[in-house]
Amino acid sequence: MSEDNAKMPAGEPEEEMSVELELEDGTLVNCAVITILDVAEKSYIVLLPLDENGQNEDGEVWFYGYSENEENPDEEPELRFIEDDDEYEMVADAFDEYLDNCEFDELIDPEN
């Protein structure tokens, strides 16, 4: 996995973050990082897979467990599959809440 700035320091302008994932069949997929969520004391990353033109036509997102080595911030973060249905549903619900908050923020401050 290659990555550009998994987390941004507070106060700095956001730049688009992306990761390149290698799928089980060896295919490489570039994904935009939507957000990192903390749910039930675990971190999860939400990725938007992009086609060769940098677009996503279907709006599908992928959820993965996410962890960083706090002792070595230069080490690439680890992603893990979410195999438990209940865990997946918790992350999906947290993402829905994140989207609701984003929409609310846009209504309050449409400049962002």
Side-chain angles (χ1 to χ4, degrees), residues 19-101:
V19 296
E20 188 173 67
L21 294 180
E22 183 173 351
L23 304 180
E24 290 178 352
D25 66 0
T27 305
L28 294 177
V29 178
N30 191 39
C31 298
V33 176
I34 304 298
T35 190
I36 296 173
L37 301 169
D38 290 321
V39 180
E41 299 181 17
K42 293 182 182 176
S43 293
Y44 299 89
I45 192 167
V46 182
L47 303 176
L48 182 70
L50 304 173
D51 63 19
E52 57 278 348
N53 299 318
Q55 302 295 311
N56 178 297
E57 300 296 326
D58 62 11
E60 176 184 21
V61 295
W62 296 343
F63 303 128
Y64 286 91
Y66 175 88
S67 62
E68 291 182 7
N69 181 346
E70 293 180 18
E71 295 175 15
N72 183 0
D74 294 330
E75 187 175 305
E76 290 203 15
E78 285 188 34
L79 302 184
R80 68 169 175 78
F81 290 107
I82 301 171
E83 296 180 17
D84 180 78
D85 290 342
D86 291 335
E87 181 182 11
Y88 186 90
E89 286 302 317
M90 284 189 334
V91 176
D93 290 344
F95 182 61
D96 286 342
E97 186 175 316
Y98 166 83
L99 290 177
D100 289 345
N101 288 336

